[in-house]
Amino acid sequence: MKKTVALLAGVLTLALALPAMAHFQMIYTQESALGKAEAIDLKLVFTHPFEAGHTMDMGQPEQFFVVRKEKKKDLLKTLKPITWTSLTNSGAAYETSYKLRGMGDNVFCLVPSPYLEKEEDCYIQQVTKAVVNTGGFPTDWDAEIGLPAEIVPLDKPYALWTGNVFRGIVKGGGKPVPFAEIEVEYLNHRPEMGKNAFAKSAAVEAPQDAFVTMTIKANVNGEFSFGIPKAGWWGFCALGAGPAKEYQGKELSQDAVIWVQARDMK
């Protein structure tokens, strides 16, 4: 009996000692602000970006498309399955390439299939956006796409200096979500596009677990703001923002994710 209690205490201590990491659906490309139109590579990975930790297996996405000048183009059939390697495991992911055209914003949107988080006995579906601009000509960056869960940016996600503030509105079913809980993580390990893997070295070291996944709250109108302390990619995930609360008889967290990129002034 004493051994059992000691074992349980050890497991609990280990669990409490684990870093606080959040799931983040990524739509990743290297540069979000391009001088001119060109072909870009995109990686769709469901992972823990700060620690380059456990990468979850993605199922076949429900939707993947791009919106440019208010026109929607379906890209679902362009997705190719890949295996993405984190520092702890490998997981099923997707990739594609896309030829940008002209000047303006390209809003890439992903509606993944719900992921069963077995440890919590619930499903997670992170509806994700990433914006790529060409030529500095603004078109669709602030458009509300009409996703079930969506963060509508109030600042251009691709035109942020280090130290700028990024603002957005959390929406679910087209309506602002008051006091939404939003997790924020820094992409701390550089994605190596050719290897479909995270780089082993980290850009920064968190002084404490609360700095790995930072949590902020929206106001009564669903609006939030966050000061960007370092150049690179930052992910924002509004938990349970969407209207769907159940999937296949289990609880569903339908989250809204957006990625923004900041640059140093040189």
Side-chain angles (χ1 to χ4, degrees), residues 15-204:
L16 292 174
L18 289 173
M21 298 185 297
H23 300 62
F24 265 89
Q25 176 66 59
M26 292 173 51
I27 300 176
Y28 178 79
T29 190
Q30 289 181 307
E31 296 294 336
S32 61
L34 298 167
K36 62 180 181 180
E38 60 184 68
I40 62 171
D41 294 325
L42 297 144
K43 307 286 184 178
L44 281 52
V45 183
F46 191 32
T47 189
H48 296 84
F50 190 93
E51 299 282 1
H54 185 76
T55 294
M56 286 67 70
D57 287 328
M58 289 182 63
Q60 173 64 40
E62 295 180 359
Q63 299 181 52
F64 182 59
F65 59 90
V66 63
V67 174
R68 179 174 178 270
K69 295 184 178 179
E70 300 182 353
K71 294 182 178 178
K72 177 179 174 181
K73 183 176 182 180
D74 187 5
L75 302 177
L76 190 61
K77 292 183 178 179
T78 71
L79 294 179
K80 299 177 181 177
I82 60 171
T83 298
W84 187 268
T85 301
S86 71
L87 300 191
T88 60
N89 77 323
S90 295
Y94 289 87
E95 69 177 4
T96 190
S97 60
Y98 183 72
K99 179 69 173 68
L100 301 171
R101 299 184 185 281
M103 298 171 63
D105 298 321
N106 301 267
V107 185
F108 293 93
C109 303
L110 170 67
V111 181
S113 59
Y115 170 81
L116 177 60
E117 178 53 83
K118 294 181 180 178
E119 291 185 1
E120 300 178 17
D121 195 31
C122 68
Y123 282 93
I124 301 170
Q125 184 181 39
Q126 296 198 335
V127 182
T128 303
K129 293 165 61 176
V131 185
V132 178
N133 174 269
T134 55
F137 184 68
T139 54
D140 305 87
W141 66 271
D142 56 349
E144 183 173 346
I145 304 300
L147 298 166
E150 182 172 1
I151 293 176
V152 180
L154 295 174
D155 300 285
K156 293 174 184 173
Y158 51 82
L160 296 165
W161 292 114
T162 306
N164 277 169
V165 170
F166 175 70
R167 301 169 300 150
I169 306 173
V170 178
K171 292 199 170 183
K175 299 180 180 178
V177 180
F179 308 113
E181 182 175 344
I182 302 155
E183 294 182 331
V184 184
E185 278 206 19
Y186 180 60
L187 182 55
N188 195 27
H189 292 254
R190 177 176 50 82
E192 296 183 335
M193 300 291 273
K195 297 180 179 178
N196 290 332
F198 286 119
K200 291 183 179 179
S201 60
V204 299

